[in-house]
Amino acid sequence: MQKDEIIAGLEKDLSDAQYKDAITRAWNYPMFARKGSTAAKRVAHERKPISLVVVELTNLDSINMRYTVKTGDMVMKGIADLIKEESRSKNEENRPSDIIGRWNGPGLLVLLPHCDECGVRTFIERIDKRIASRAFSHKHQTVEVHLSYGACTQYGRQASIGDLIKKAEVALESAKTEKLPFRVVDHLGDEAVCGKTNREREKKMMGGVHWQ
């Protein structure tokens, strides 16, 4: 191996350690927020929708207690890997890539530029189907995996990543309380109805909310 290749490898390892979660290899929150803010600014300029999904492994604590923390880490990494496989490429429609980050212990964040409420529902259903078909195991025992999802979709202005996360978390808690697989809300926290027209969305955006 050439010296330049060794140096490049060490620099990559250092970058990963600084910006990526050690378990899932998703972005840590500071880098997720930085990349997300850049994507949100571009999306607002293009007047496109943006969605954020919180994915929570609701039984992570019980997995850690029944099996091992290492098993819980393995499941979290497996979920993150499946989400990465299903995330949309930046080559699609000349749009920014999906951005995936780690959120607290049992959570992952997925930012979906150019994705409306219909698209985010399809994305969640596709992820959930993939994960349901994936067999996680510990010493030949099947590890049950329980996930919940909350999402927020915003139109027409530059999104605050922190605000999107807060609203997606509220949607997540509502879904868990009502025993729903997921819930999608808009920037006002109301249920995001798939199929709503652009005129209806823009009308709702009126009242002090302006394009930026």
Side-chain angles (χ1 to χ4, degrees), residues 37-47 93-96 114:
S37 295
T38 299
K41 184 176 181 179
R42 173 180 170 179
V43 167
H45 179 73
E46 297 169 337
R47 296 192 175 186
E93 303 173 5
N94 193 31
R95 50 169 293 284
H114 294 199

Side-chain angles (χ1 to χ4, degrees), residues 5-183:
E5 293 177 346
I6 294 174
I7 293 174
L10 291 173
E11 289 177 344
K12 183 180 185 303
D13 290 343
L14 181 62
S15 177
D16 285 353
Q18 185 175 1
Y19 300 122
K20 290 188 176 181
D21 173 63
I23 303 302
T24 63
R25 312 309 297 164
W27 298 114
N28 59 26
Y29 181 72
M31 181 55 69
F32 176 88
R34 187 187 305 177
K35 286 181 171 290
S37 295
T38 299
K41 184 176 181 179
R42 173 180 170 179
V43 167
H45 179 73
E46 297 169 337
R47 296 192 175 186
K48 297 288 186 179
I50 191 168
S51 296
L52 184 140
V53 184
V54 178
V55 183
E56 183 179 294
L57 176 58
T58 56
N59 64 327
L60 177 59
D61 287 343
S62 65
I63 291 173
N64 289 340
M65 292 177 63
R66 181 174 180 179
Y67 305 105
T68 63
V69 172
K70 186 176 180 180
T71 301
D73 289 346
M74 176 270 293
V75 173
M76 283 300 304
K77 184 178 185 305
I79 293 169
D81 287 346
L82 287 176
I83 291 174
K84 290 173 188 175
E85 290 173 10
E86 289 292 333
S87 65
R88 300 164 305 163
S89 165
K90 65 182 179 181
N91 294 322
E92 289 184 25
E93 303 173 5
N94 193 31
R95 50 169 293 284
S97 298
D98 297 339
I99 302 169
I100 303 166
R102 183 77 185 267
W103 181 241
N104 298 325
L108 291 162
L109 302 171
V110 189
L111 189 69
L112 306 167
H114 294 199
C115 184
D116 62 14
E117 61 270 36
C118 299
V120 75
R121 287 172 184 273
T122 299
F123 179 81
I124 291 172
E125 289 168 353
R126 193 169 70 241
I127 293 296
D128 201 51
K129 184 177 180 180
R130 282 287 309 276
I131 292 173
S133 66
R134 164 74 184 272
F136 295 95
S137 63
H138 172 84
K139 294 182 178 179
H140 307 295
Q141 298 181 60
T142 300
V143 178
E144 291 189 10
V145 172
H146 302 297
L147 295 174
S148 289
Y149 308 82
C152 179
T153 297
Q154 180 163 302
Y155 288 81
R157 60 171 179 165
Q158 185 171 334
S160 159
I161 299 303
D163 194 45
L164 285 176
I165 292 173
K166 287 179 182 178
K167 288 185 171 62
E169 285 192 309
V170 171
L172 171 69
E173 292 305 315
S174 176
K176 291 194 292 186
T177 299
E178 299 182 29
K179 301 187 185 313
L180 299 172
F182 63 85
R183 168 152 282 166

